[in-house]
Amino acid sequence: MPFRATVLTLYPEMFPGPLGVSLAGRALDRGEAVLETRQIRDFGRGRHRAVDDTPAGGGAGMVLRADVLADAIDAASPEGDGRPRLLMSPRGRPLTQSFVRELAAGEGALIVCGRFEGVDERIIEARGLTEISIGDYVLSGGEIAAMVLLDAVIRILPGVMGNDQSGVHESFEAPFLEHPHYTRPAEWAGRPIPEVLTSGNHGAIERWRRAEAERLTRERRPDLLRRGAGKTNGDDL
Ligand code: SAH
């Protein structure tokens, strides 16, 4: 069974968007992953199919209604559907490669995209939504965040990356950021490729890459090293 993602959104026309090209696009074309969208407004209330209302207690903006979202979720993922239910949210658990791997190993995901001020808190509890954040900044909606998550998941699904090795040495798959890459021409704008990479000495190349990965991680993301050698980024969440 392919990985199946169901995205609940007020803007289904945003999909597949960037997921329709390159690696993810090919995976969707070949059926290695399935992406479906559901229009939350189809479950709106009244003649105008209202999906939101003013915040209880006052304040700016609008809040997505729990009853509307419940109907949308229940229609998209009936009882017994084992897929995790996610809500894209800046308050959520930070998205990491280890969570991406966990999702990719499963059947798929139901993803709710917030808009406006967010969603009525009661739907999170009542439908067991796991809040996931893609970073410490605020987007105008959950759609782009959902695409980020799905792009990360789809590229590591079995068979999607041509060379199965190409996922192994990347940033976050080890406790280190990835080493630098070079390609032809051998010299460009007065800058040669580091000699070791053209030496043909595979042991030396491997040692150089490892040393560079460690150096970059120490310089840029010492927090990854503190999370524990031998552990993968995010395993301690
Ligand atoms: N008032 C909210 C922000 C709402 S932004 C707050 O301060 O927390 C509107 C929607 O965009 C959210 O419901 C969420 O679905 C999405 N969103 C915004 N920033 C996000 C982020 N960093 N990660 C994931 N989703 C995000």
Side-chain angles (χ1 to χ4, degrees), residues 62 64 87-93 95 112-119 131-146:
M62 299 294 273
L64 282 168
L87 169 67
M88 304 318 297
S89 158
R91 299 186 320 192
R93 162 184 173 175
L95 182 62
V112 180
C113 299
R115 278 272 157 181
F116 322 121
E117 288 309 314
V119 305
E131 294 178 74
I132 300 294
S133 166
I134 65 156
D136 291 342
Y137 39 79
V138 180
L139 305 168
S140 55
E143 288 78 8
I144 293 175

Side-chain angles (χ1 to χ4, degrees), residues 42-143:
D42 290 348
F43 302 88
R45 296 297 193 263
R47 208 155 49 86
H48 298 291
R49 297 214 171 275
V51 296
D52 56 346
D53 211 325
T54 54
M62 299 294 273
V63 175
L64 282 168
R65 291 170 58 134
D67 53 354
V68 171
L69 286 173
D71 290 352
I73 291 169
D74 295 345
S77 131
E79 223 41 82
D81 179 337
R83 295 180 296 164
R85 297 167 163 185
L86 312 179
L87 169 67
M88 304 318 297
S89 158
R91 299 186 320 192
R93 162 184 173 175
L95 182 62
T96 61
Q97 190 65 17
S98 70
F99 184 63
V100 166
R101 268 198 305 273
E102 215 176 283
L103 281 177
E107 295 168 39
L110 176 91
I111 306 178
V112 180
C113 299
R115 278 272 157 181
F116 322 121
E117 288 309 314
V119 305
D120 186 310
E121 190 71 20
R122 293 170 292 181
I123 192 63
I124 299 174
E125 220 177 273
R127 290 297 179 273
L129 304 183
T130 302
E131 294 178 74
I132 300 294
S133 166
I134 65 156
D136 291 342
Y137 39 79
V138 180
L139 305 168
S140 55
E143 288 78 8

Side-chain angles (χ1 to χ4, degrees), residues 111-225:
I111 306 178
V112 180
C113 299
R115 278 272 157 181
F116 322 121
E117 288 309 314
V119 305
D120 186 310
E121 190 71 20
R122 293 170 292 181
I123 192 63
I124 299 174
E125 220 177 273
R127 290 297 179 273
L129 304 183
T130 302
E131 294 178 74
I132 300 294
S133 166
I134 65 156
D136 291 342
Y137 39 79
V138 180
L139 305 168
S140 55
E143 288 78 8
I144 293 175
M147 288 175 197
V148 167
L149 181 146
L150 287 173
D151 184 84
V153 169
I154 291 171
R155 68 187 284 283
I156 63 165
L157 292 174
V160 171
M161 257 185 297
N163 174 1
D164 271 343
Q165 277 298 305
S166 64
V168 170
H169 283 297
E170 282 172 328
S171 300
F172 308 117
E173 294 294 356
F176 303 123
L177 301 177
E178 198 182 44
H179 57 77
H181 293 290
Y182 299 87
T183 187
R184 280 182 277 276
E187 184 172 329
W188 171 76
R191 299 163 187 269
I193 290 176
E195 224 176 287
V196 59
L197 296 181
T198 51
S199 68
N201 180 339
H202 295 295
I205 291 170
E206 213 34 62
R207 283 191 297 279
W208 179 87
R209 286 181 167 163
R210 164 112 190 166
E212 283 293 289
E214 280 189 49
R215 179 182 65 76
L216 285 169
T217 310
R218 223 172 11 256
E219 283 173 15
R220 299 180 182 181
R221 293 293 304 277
D223 59 300
L224 294 180
L225 299 173

